Amino acid sequence: MVNDLVTSASALDSAPSSLSEALLLALSDRDQHRRDRAIDEAAHAADPTDLIELVADHDDAGRRNAALEALAQGGARSVPSLIRALRHPDPEVVMFAAGTLGRTRDPAVIPHLVRLLDQEDLNVAQAAVDSLARLRATVAVGEIVKLLNRDPWLRFAAVHALGEIGDPHAVEALLPLLGDESVREMAIDALGKIGSVEALGPLAMLLRESEDAGSFASCLRAIGGVLEHHPDPGALRNIREWAAISSPEAMGVHQRIMEVLGAIERQWSDDLEIRTAAAAIIRALRLEPLYTTLVLAGRDPMLAEVLQFCAVSIGPEISPSLQTGLGERNAEVRVLACQCVGALGLSDCVPHVAALLTDPDEKVRAAAVHTLARLDQADAVSAIVRLLHDPAQAVREAARAALGRMDAAAVSAALLADPATAGAGKTVALEIMRGNPHPTQAAFLTACLDDTDPTVRRAAVAAAMRQPGDFLGTVEALLYDGDAAVRREAVRALGRSRGERVCRLLLLAIEHDAETRADAIRALGQAGDARAIGRLVALLSEQPPRRPAEIEALAALHESASEPLLVRLVADPEPATRMAAIQALGVCGSTVALRHVFMAVRDSDARVRRVVADAVSRCCDTALLETLIMDSDASVALAARRHLEDLEKAARHDRP
């Protein structure tokens, strides 16, 4: 990095006389990438006092901005110099220093910033206010409130800062500003961010009185902020002005809320925050006349999650509006209504949802399937089974997922009655039976285990081992199947079982079937028999694993008994075997394992040394990476350099 800086700085008008000067010069680099790297380096290496001097340089705005960015990124190490800069004779330096102190996120700077609030230079005072806002300096609220009676420009900054700080103590000072047109909208916004319940009444009153769309929208947004801070509507019912919005006299407000939620291509259609607030008001005040409006607002998919939350919060009383939504022409509304019915468990809506299983829109069909499964509607199982052959993949996947968690007896009966299950639909049926087993499936599974199609046999193995009956003997026979994929599935199925017989079968597969050996090693570890692990290591000592997949499977056991075997493989004549062994030892991570990984830095094959670089980077061994940077092979050196840079970057990120 430093060499890059020197090279970059040398391209400027004057050559640097030191690395420190090179660093400062590099901040002027016109190349954005090099400039960003210089800023990053300056943030943790340059003297902050030197960076302050660059801030005072009026001739090079680019370098000044880069220095400010470096000071901000420097965090705590920049703070002393920035505080001293607050006494600089140049007001611009003071202003920039005050603004940068807020970005350091150091609360110790707050008293220094507070002292700047009474500065005659408005730019300095505003920079201090903005930094206090960024620091969420609640202790400064009293002093910031005093600025509300000063220059109008500072007044705007103070109102904004009070909102960003979010301290309820500011509410009393902000409420009178609701009557001041010059700062009213800013005050409304600040009150919404603070979210204090004391502001809800005045905001509700202003909402009713707002004549222009801008003020109404600001009030909506602010009330939404208060409601987020106070999610229990019951605690707000005693606020008279707030409760009055639910009265018939507030029909004008209701109409405007309907307009906000109904906007698709009109005003407010792009303001998600305002529309979210409108939905929150309906929820909090239980505005029953607007329930259907709430549901129909689902035409905007961006609002779907908010609307579902509101509907579920309202509860079963929204059922009639959801039924209206289930019959709405807009597909997004039908989807939302389905989801809400499922979340609320509204059995009275089931016939309407079942009718949507034949909806022309695939999203609606999938949503209907999910809802009926959530309500565990056994009567709908046959119809859902037919959707296993739907032209839309999303619907087929929804049907599979639903049938996997619905009543097993009903699902089995429907699957076995479906003509497709006896033909092209066998594998799909077997997949569902695997996740939702039932004794009635036994005869079908037995027939599938003898099917001529290896794909069906493979799926049948996976399903059979989930059954309550004893299929172990049948699965054992498939260990000798002519199709390797079937044998592999049989091995994996055995790994989900326990017992001496299972371990013996897996050891035989490891010994005699090269195509399933890696899977059998994993399955044996999955079986969890400690005695079997010892026999496995003994067997592999006589017939060492050669394929990378087998070595990886051995490492996945995380057994210390396997480490000596892996260490032996580091000396194997085949580079591929050595590479796999080094990767496996790196995963093991023990002191002994890593020692042998480190020794492989001298391997004659560059590919092996490259794997060593990858392995040692995981244990953060920078010394060995620095050795590999000098490797004669360019690819090894490059890999080591990249790993080292990543480690250094991570260390800088973790540095306080």
Side-chain angles (χ1 to χ4, degrees):
M1 175 66 194
V2 172
N3 290 336
D4 292 343
L5 290 173
V6 173
T7 302
S8 173
S10 298
L12 301 175
D13 294 338
S14 58
S17 59
S18 67
L19 291 178
S20 177
E21 185 179 344
L23 183 61
L24 299 178
L25 285 171
L27 295 176
S28 301
D29 202 309
R30 291 184 177 85
D31 182 277
Q32 187 64 45
H33 177 68
R34 289 198 298 265
R35 187 166 176 267
D36 288 344
R37 293 186 67 188
I39 290 172
D40 183 61
E41 186 70 15
H44 71 271
D47 187 337
T49 302
D50 291 340
L51 293 171
I52 294 292
E53 290 306 312
L54 293 184
V55 174
D57 182 0
H58 292 261
D59 295 330
D60 192 335
R63 186 159 55 169
R64 180 180 63 193
N65 292 335
L68 286 167
E69 183 64 30
L71 286 164
Q73 291 184 21
R77 70 184 296 271
S78 301
V79 168
S81 296
L82 285 168
I83 290 175
R84 287 194 297 273
L86 298 179
R87 300 189 295 273
H88 199 281
D90 186 341
E92 281 200 17
V93 174
V94 178
M95 178 187 68
F96 287 131
T100 306
L101 280 171
R103 298 178 61 195
T104 64
R105 300 297 186 187
D106 189 340
V109 308
I110 291 174
H112 302 278
L113 292 169
V114 170
R115 284 195 285 271
L116 295 177
L117 295 180
D118 59 359
Q119 282 276 333
E120 292 184 6
D121 190 311
L122 296 182
N123 291 326
V124 172
Q126 182 185 343
V129 172
D130 292 343
S131 282
L132 290 169
R134 189 187 290 266
L135 291 165
R136 304 291 192 268
T138 56
V139 296
V141 165
E143 295 300 317
I144 295 175
V145 165
K146 294 177 182 178
L147 299 179
L148 297 175
N149 298 318
R150 283 186 60 186
D151 181 90
W153 187 255
L154 278 183
R155 198 181 189 202
F156 292 139
V159 172
H160 172 76
L162 292 172
E164 293 299 310
I165 293 171
D167 190 334
H169 291 98
V171 171
E172 185 179 355
L174 288 169
L175 286 176
L177 301 181
L178 295 178
D180 186 336
E181 291 187 8
S182 65
V183 292
R184 177 185 296 154
E185 291 204 16
M186 288 191 68
I188 291 171
D189 184 59
L191 288 168
K193 289 179 179 178
I194 294 171
S196 174
V197 70
E198 287 77 16
L200 186 57
L203 288 171
M205 183 182 300
L206 193 58
L207 183 74
R208 295 185 62 179
E209 296 173 353
S210 296
E211 296 181 358
D212 64 284
S215 295
F216 185 79
S218 297
C219 288
L220 269 185
R221 186 186 295 109
I223 289 174
V226 175
L227 294 178
E228 284 184 2
H229 283 83
H230 302 277
D232 180 9
L236 308 175
R237 289 173 185 163
N238 61 343
I239 301 174
R240 181 172 52 82
E241 299 90 344
W242 169 243
I245 293 180
S246 60
S247 67
E249 290 75 19
M251 289 299 294
V253 174
H254 298 182
Q255 182 62 39
R256 296 177 82 171
I257 289 175
M258 291 174 65
E259 292 174 3
V260 169
L261 282 176
I264 295 297
E265 297 177 353
R266 299 188 299 278
Q267 188 178 19
W268 295 310
S269 61
D270 295 329
D271 200 324
L272 186 63
E273 191 178 5
I274 291 176
R275 303 178 75 200
T276 297
I281 290 176
I282 297 174
R283 171 190 68 85
L285 288 172
R286 300 292 180 112
L287 299 179
E288 187 174 351
L290 300 186
Y291 285 174
T292 300
T293 298
L294 187 74
V295 174
L296 297 182
R299 285 176 292 180
D300 183 355
M302 296 292 291
L303 283 171
E305 290 185 1
V306 170
L307 297 174
Q308 182 173 340
F309 171 79
C310 291
V312 173
S313 299
I314 291 169
E317 67 185 79
I318 201 173
S319 178
S321 295
L322 291 175
Q323 291 184 32
T324 299
L326 292 171
E328 174 64 17
R329 291 177 58 186
N330 184 277
E332 299 292 348
V333 175
R334 299 199 298 276
V335 169
L336 172 68
C338 270
Q339 293 169 338
C340 293
V341 167
L344 288 168
L346 300 176
S347 56
D348 59 323
C349 295
V350 166
H352 303 277
V353 175
L356 297 179
L357 291 176
T358 56
D359 193 275
D361 191 286
E362 64 182 73
K363 296 192 301 294
V364 177
R365 297 198 300 277
V369 168
H370 286 307
T371 296
L372 292 170
R374 187 164 184 169
L375 298 175
D376 201 16
Q377 291 296 307
D379 293 342
V381 168
S382 295
I384 294 175
V385 165
R386 288 194 291 274
L387 291 179
L388 291 171
H389 320 295
D390 193 274
Q393 181 179 349
V395 179
R396 297 196 300 271
E397 291 176 353
R400 292 183 192 182
L403 294 170
R405 60 180 186 269
M406 297 180 77
D407 180 75
V411 170
S412 294
L415 283 173
L416 295 173
D418 183 21
T421 301
K426 281 183 183 177
T427 54
V428 175
L430 288 167
E431 179 186 332
I432 295 168
M433 291 176 179
R434 176 182 178 179
N436 201 353
H438 192 267
T440 56
Q441 301 165 3
F444 175 72
L445 289 173
T446 300
C448 288
L449 288 168
D450 290 329
D451 198 278
T452 56
D453 186 344
T455 305
V456 174
R457 296 200 302 277
R458 187 166 71 247
V461 171
M465 291 303 289
R466 299 293 180 91
Q467 290 292 318
D470 183 10
F471 280 85
L472 186 57
T474 308
V475 171
E476 178 181 352
L478 291 176
L479 290 173
Y480 306 98
D481 193 277
D483 187 271
V486 175
R487 300 199 305 276
R488 193 172 289 114
E489 190 60 55
V491 164
R492 291 171 182 165
L494 288 173
R496 293 188 286 269
S497 301
R498 298 289 184 272
E500 176 63 27
R501 183 181 177 189
V502 169
C503 291
R504 179 176 54 80
L505 291 173
L506 290 173
L507 285 168
L508 285 172
I510 293 169
E511 187 174 5
H512 298 294
D513 190 347
E515 290 182 287
T516 66
R517 200 178 194 205
D519 298 279
I521 293 171
R522 287 192 183 91
L524 194 61
Q526 198 175 350
D529 190 327
R531 295 171 302 170
I533 298 298
R535 283 184 276 176
L536 169 65
V537 173
L539 175 62
L540 293 179
S541 296
E542 298 175 3
Q543 302 179 25
R546 298 296 181 193
R547 299 180 182 181
E550 296 170 8
I551 298 172
E552 180 186 340
L554 184 60
L557 300 180
H558 295 290
E559 281 286 335
S560 58
S562 64
E563 284 189 19
L565 177 57
L566 291 171
V567 167
R568 279 172 46 197
L569 295 175
V570 175
D572 193 90
E574 288 296 325
T577 302
R578 299 201 300 276
M579 291 163 63
I582 289 167
Q583 288 174 326
L585 289 169
V587 171
C588 292
S590 71
T591 303
V592 174
L594 292 176
R595 185 179 301 141
H596 285 85
V597 170
F598 298 163
M599 293 301 293
V601 73
R602 300 189 183 93
D603 195 280
S604 59
D605 193 294
R607 294 170 298 172
V608 177
R609 300 197 300 278
R610 200 155 55 243
V611 171
V612 173
D614 296 338
V616 299
S617 69
R618 288 195 291 271
C619 62
C620 303
D621 192 306
T622 56
L624 194 58
L625 286 173
E626 288 172 350
T627 299
L628 287 167
I629 285 176
M630 307 303 294
D631 196 276
S632 58
D633 185 273
S635 65
V636 176
L638 179 60
R641 183 180 298 278
R642 286 176 176 168
H643 287 311
L644 191 59
E645 288 177 351
D646 289 342
L647 291 175
E648 290 174 345
K649 186 181 297 182
R652 289 198 300 272
H653 178 75
D654 294 338
R655 188 181 296 125

